[in-house]
Amino acid sequence: VRTFSNPHPAERSSATVKDVAARASVSVATAARALGGYGRVSAATRARVLTAAADLGYQPNHVARALVSGSTMTIGLVVGDIENPFFATVARAVAKVVEPRGYTLLLANSDEDPRSERRAVETFRAQRIDGLLVAPTAADAGHGHLRDAVAAGVPLVLIDRAAERLALDTVATDNRGGAAAAVSHFAALGHERIGMLSDLPRIASSRDRIRGYREGLLAAGLEFRPQDLVVGPATRADGRACAERLLRRPRRPRALFAANNFMTIGALDAAHRLGLRIPDDLVLIGFDDFVWTTLVNPPVTVVAQAVDELGRLAGDRLLARIAGDDGPPRRISVPTELIVRGTCGTP
Amino acid sequence: VRTFSNPHPAERSSATVKDVAARASVSVATAARALGGYGRVSAATRARVLTAAADLGYQPNHVARALVSGSTMTIGLVVGDIENPFFATVARAVAKVVEPRGYTLLLANSDEDPRSERRAVETFRAQRIDGLLVAPTAADAGHGHLRDAVAAGVPLVLIDRAAERLALDTVATDNRGGAAAAVSHFAALGHERIGMLSDLPRIASSRDRIRGYREGLLAAGLEFRPQDLVVGPATRADGRACAERLLRRPRRPRALFAANNFMTIGALDAAHRLGLRIPDDLVLIGFDDFVWTTLVNPPVTVVAQAVDELGRLAGDRLLARIAGDDGPPRRISVPTELIVRGTCGTP
DNA sequence: TTGAAAGCGCTAACAG
DNA sequence: CTGTTAGCGCTTTCAA
């Protein structure tokens, strides 16, 4: 019987084990054993098979292998936005951990949209990834797709943000501690009015930074004033708008904690437009240490995250789960480091 | 006979078409038709099948589907380094084009190492991606793996850099034109000594920028002085070292064209250390427009690439190839734009 | 050490 | 409109 399949794209049918077996005059089983390097094959036979394979330009077919072995050797990574240097670094670090072990990374951007996150997770599951790494969006979105994945037995590790009602392996920055450290630093410098700029508190990490801010104030014996906390969407323009709103007020804070990249840039933009000199008229601490923080003048004091390590730890954890670790979920917290630079006045 | 397979990780065997078929009391073929939305099925039967599927939490298995259909609905993307904002943007743009068409992106970093690029391409081929997007490294490395892929009929489009001896679809920035435009701008400003900082001319894009630099000089009636072109590895530290080497010379150029991100930062660092004021003592044009270029003072004049469009075009081209387009290879050149800012003296 | 044969989950001829 | 069946490329039992 003639086959019907695969004239699909460009009649690209590479050699199969069967072809190799025929050419080496052995059975498929033997050829497969030699090729796959498992089972026992005599040296002579192996050599014959390998030569035949080379002649034919044989390339193993992972798809077929995956179907029988149940493992695709792929890992799905869902991030908010790969253009965000934070996630790019995470992706890099994960790849570095996982590739030497033979895994390939599938990438998806959620755009911080719960629906597209869900879609990505479902696609990945259909692709039968061996494990899943996700930076979950909006904490209020239910996370049903994550629960489903876990229920189906898919190894899953959360990065950067916890899913609050789900007990899952999570590797995240110590956002609370980092924010609190920033506030403490301001307090130690003698500041009493400390403002904060944050994105909308929909994802866990943003919430934690706000929590840390309040704890820091409390610890310093300062009062939390709701009007000193301004939140807005995470874009450069919104960052500036938020900063201006805060800094235009008559009794404006003289110290500002910007909880993310966009808010930090926004604060810089706003200070520039309002003619406020840093650090004389305003001191500033940002969150996360980007390249440009040392290019501007003065260089920016930041709460630095160990992004690389975060990615590495997440990758390790997932690999462990894939390998069969079925211990209780672990929440791994990665400490931050306050890097004091020019925007705090202490050059 | 009992099966032997899949007790692999955590006995995670989801429902199959067969299970659904049984529950709906129809044949697998009918169930598959209803599930896959192809062929003709009566409304009543379809409903029964769909209900059964929902009850069982059925998830289609792409691996099995791929084995028979010959299409995995995945696309492999090999970039130099996803942490480079340029590639992150490309990845983003590509994803945006291919995902709506149902494709998933596999990601690999080559680290600009020809060997790891080759490995990535081979892994992707084994995974049976439907198409391949690669930013090839070192032009001198032979590109045998690319030739092999093409020979095997794998749709392949090159991004950002051409493989000089290979006639392949290529989507790249007009690097020559961009570099020449920078030089022309300097010349129009009256500069006669124009230096250039470049990474090692191993990849096609670097070579093209150098070519453009020389053409720009020629067009302006200026002489090319080999000592005014300094090349070095693409890191911030090396960037600074190169810049210092050039700027420490007694008869140093007063205009500098930095052909990449690192060289631009390096030039800024070096100018700062040497006490050279920009634009008074030195004017500067960088390549590629990063966020931080407008955060520093003065903001940096750059040759901006339409990175997003580049990614989009590459994605489109690949999709066309996958769809069966077998026209001659196209070289698509994406124009640059010179964005004049403070570092050129014309604020 | 080797071979024959079953089967992974799904699709698509072909027949009814 | 629905069912039977072969087969995608590979791994693995089982027997020789």
Side-chain angles (χ1 to χ4, degrees):
Chain A
V1 188
R2 201 49 245 125
T3 156
F4 53 87
S5 77
N6 271 42
H8 246 287
E11 194 65 61
R12 94 180 94 111
S13 55
S14 41
T16 73
V17 226
K18 203 169 173 179
D19 302 325
V20 176
R23 189 167 226 271
S25 325
V26 294
S27 71
V28 274
T30 306
R33 281 190 276 253
L35 260 13
Y38 56 89
R40 359 201 95 273
V41 194
S42 76
T45 321
R46 158 170 298 117
R48 274 226 313 295
V49 173
L50 263 27
T51 317
D55 293 349
L56 263 33
Y58 170 78
Q59 294 275 129
N61 184 331
H62 269 52
V63 176
R65 180 173 295 174
L67 186 58
V68 17
S69 71
S71 160
T72 53
M73 296 305 282
T74 57
I75 283 176
L77 173 65
V78 185
V79 299
D81 176 7
I82 193 69
E83 283 194 68
N84 180 332
F86 172 84
F87 287 124
T89 303
V90 167
R92 189 82 183 76
V94 169
K96 235 176 191 146
V97 170
V98 125
E99 278 170 4
R101 302 282 228 74
Y103 290 91
T104 299
L105 221 49
L106 305 212
L107 177 73
N109 296 89
S110 71
D111 292 323
E112 306 294 1
D113 169 11
R115 280 199 319 259
S116 75
E117 175 185 314
R118 139 170 259 116
R119 213 175 314 132
V121 168
E122 275 164 6
T123 307
F124 283 169
R125 288 190 53 197
Q127 296 278 13
R128 290 302 194 263
I129 39 75
D130 287 349
L132 213 43
L133 245 21
V134 5
T137 56
D140 48 317
H143 299 309
H145 53 300
L146 299 183
R147 182 171 285 118
D148 289 350
V150 175
V154 180
L156 170 59
V157 174
L158 266 27
I159 346 175
D160 184 41
R161 314 155 178 182
E164 291 170 346
R165 338 194 42 160
L166 243 43
L168 279 176
D169 282 331
T170 305
V171 180
T173 292
D174 177 15
N175 290 297
R176 274 167 70 173
V183 173
S184 300
H185 185 73
F186 281 145
L189 254 34
H191 290 279
E192 300 189 338
R193 273 304 275 286
I194 302 169
M196 173 173 183
L197 259 26
S198 166
D199 46 310
L200 305 166
R202 304 180 59 223
I203 57 178
S205 54
S206 311
R207 301 226 265 250
D208 284 343
R209 289 176 198 174
I210 291 176
R211 230 168 265 155
Y213 163 71
R214 300 185 60 158
E215 289 173 2
L217 289 176
L218 197 68
L222 299 174
E223 192 192 344
F224 165 68
R225 292 185 183 77
Q227 70 272 27
D228 285 351
L229 166 62
V230 178
V231 305
T235 72
R236 181 169 179 170
D238 287 299
R240 188 174 71 199
C242 290
E244 286 195 20
R245 202 175 328 141
L246 187 60
L247 296 175
R248 275 229 157 84
R249 293 218 312 269
R251 287 202 56 230
R252 60 172 184 80
R254 290 220 24 222
L256 207 46
F257 169 51
N260 67 50
N261 191 11
F262 294 108
M263 290 297 163
T264 309
I265 298 181
L268 255 21
D269 283 346
H272 190 72
R273 278 160 64 110
L274 300 178
L276 298 173
R277 287 161 314 160
I278 297 177
D280 306 299
D281 303 326
L282 179 71
V283 295
L284 176 69
I285 299 184
F287 209 103
D288 209 355
D289 193 26
F290 297 95
V291 245
W292 58 262
T293 54
T294 58
L295 285 174
V296 299
N297 197 334
V300 185
T301 296
V302 294
V303 177
Q305 310 188 64
V307 188
D308 220 87
E309 174 156 12
L310 194 148
R312 199 166 45 237
L313 288 169
D316 284 340
R317 199 81 267 284
L318 184 60
L319 252 18
R321 287 299 181 190
I322 291 176
D325 173 346
D326 59 350
R330 289 228 268 268
R331 298 223 169 178
I332 301 175
S333 178
V334 183
T336 60
E337 181 192 2
L338 183 72
I339 303 184
V340 178
R341 292 197 271 247
T343 55
C344 276
T346 0
Chain B
V1 186
R2 199 52 241 123
T3 157
F4 53 85
S5 78
N6 268 44
H8 246 287
E11 194 65 63
R12 94 178 95 111
S13 54
S14 40
T16 73
V17 220
K18 204 170 173 180
D19 301 326
V20 175
R23 188 170 229 269
S25 326
V26 294
S27 70
V28 273
T30 306
R33 281 190 276 254
L35 259 14
Y38 57 90
R40 357 202 96 276
V41 194
S42 77
T45 319
R46 158 170 299 114
R48 273 225 315 293
V49 172
L50 263 28
T51 318
D55 292 349
L56 262 34
Y58 170 77
Q59 295 274 129
N61 184 331
H62 269 52
V63 175
R65 181 173 296 175
L67 186 59
V68 15
S69 70
S71 159
T72 53
M73 296 305 283
T74 58
I75 284 175
L77 172 66
V78 185
V79 298
D81 175 8
I82 193 68
E83 283 195 67
N84 181 333
F86 172 83
F87 286 124
T89 304
V90 168
R92 189 83 183 76
V94 170
K96 236 175 191 145
V97 172
V98 302
E99 279 171 3
R101 302 279 229 79
Y103 290 90
T104 300
L105 221 50
L106 304 212
L107 177 73
N109 297 90
S110 70
D111 292 323
E112 305 294 0
D113 170 12
R115 280 199 320 260
S116 77
E117 175 185 315
R118 139 169 259 116
R119 213 175 315 132
V121 168
E122 276 164 5
T123 306
F124 282 168
R125 286 190 54 198
Q127 296 278 12
R128 292 299 194 266
I129 38 75
D130 287 348
L132 212 42
L133 245 21
V134 3
T137 56
D140 49 317
H143 299 310
H145 53 300
L146 298 182
R147 181 171 286 119
D148 290 351
V150 176
V154 180
L156 169 58
V157 357
L158 267 25
I159 346 175
D160 184 39
R161 314 156 180 180
E164 293 172 345
R165 336 193 44 161
L166 244 43
L168 279 176
D169 282 332
T170 305
V171 181
T173 292
D174 177 14
N175 289 296
R176 275 167 69 172
V183 173
S184 301
H185 186 71
F186 281 144
L189 255 32
H191 290 279
E192 300 189 338
R193 274 301 276 287
I194 302 170
M196 172 173 183
L197 259 26
S198 166
D199 46 311
L200 305 166
R202 305 182 57 223
I203 57 180
S205 54
S206 311
R207 300 227 266 250
D208 284 343
R209 288 175 200 175
I210 292 176
R211 227 167 268 157
Y213 164 70
R214 299 185 62 160
E215 290 173 1
L217 289 176
L218 197 68
L222 299 174
E223 192 194 342
F224 166 66
R225 293 184 183 77
Q227 70 272 27
D228 285 352
L229 167 62
V230 178
V231 305
T235 71
R236 183 169 179 171
D238 287 298
R240 190 175 69 199
C242 291
E244 286 195 18
R245 201 173 331 140
L246 188 60
L247 296 175
R248 275 228 157 83
R249 292 220 310 270
R251 287 200 57 229
R252 57 172 186 79
R254 290 217 26 218
L256 206 46
F257 169 51
N260 69 48
N261 191 10
F262 294 108
M263 290 298 163
T264 310
I265 298 181
L268 256 20
D269 282 347
H272 191 71
R273 278 161 64 112
L274 299 178
L276 297 173
R277 286 161 316 160
I278 297 176
D280 306 299
D281 304 324
L282 179 72
V283 296
L284 177 70
I285 299 183
F287 208 105
D288 208 355
D289 193 28
F290 297 96
V291 246
W292 58 263
T293 54
T294 57
L295 284 174
V296 299
N297 197 338
V300 185
T301 296
V302 294
V303 178
Q305 309 188 65
V307 189
D308 220 87
E309 175 156 12
L310 195 149
R312 197 166 47 237
L313 288 171
D316 284 340
R317 198 81 269 285
L318 185 60
L319 253 16
R321 288 297 181 192
I322 292 176
D325 174 345
D326 58 352
R330 289 227 269 268
R331 296 222 171 181
I332 300 175
S333 177
V334 183
T336 60
E337 182 193 0
L338 182 72
I339 303 184
V340 177
R341 293 198 272 246
T343 55
C344 276
T346 0

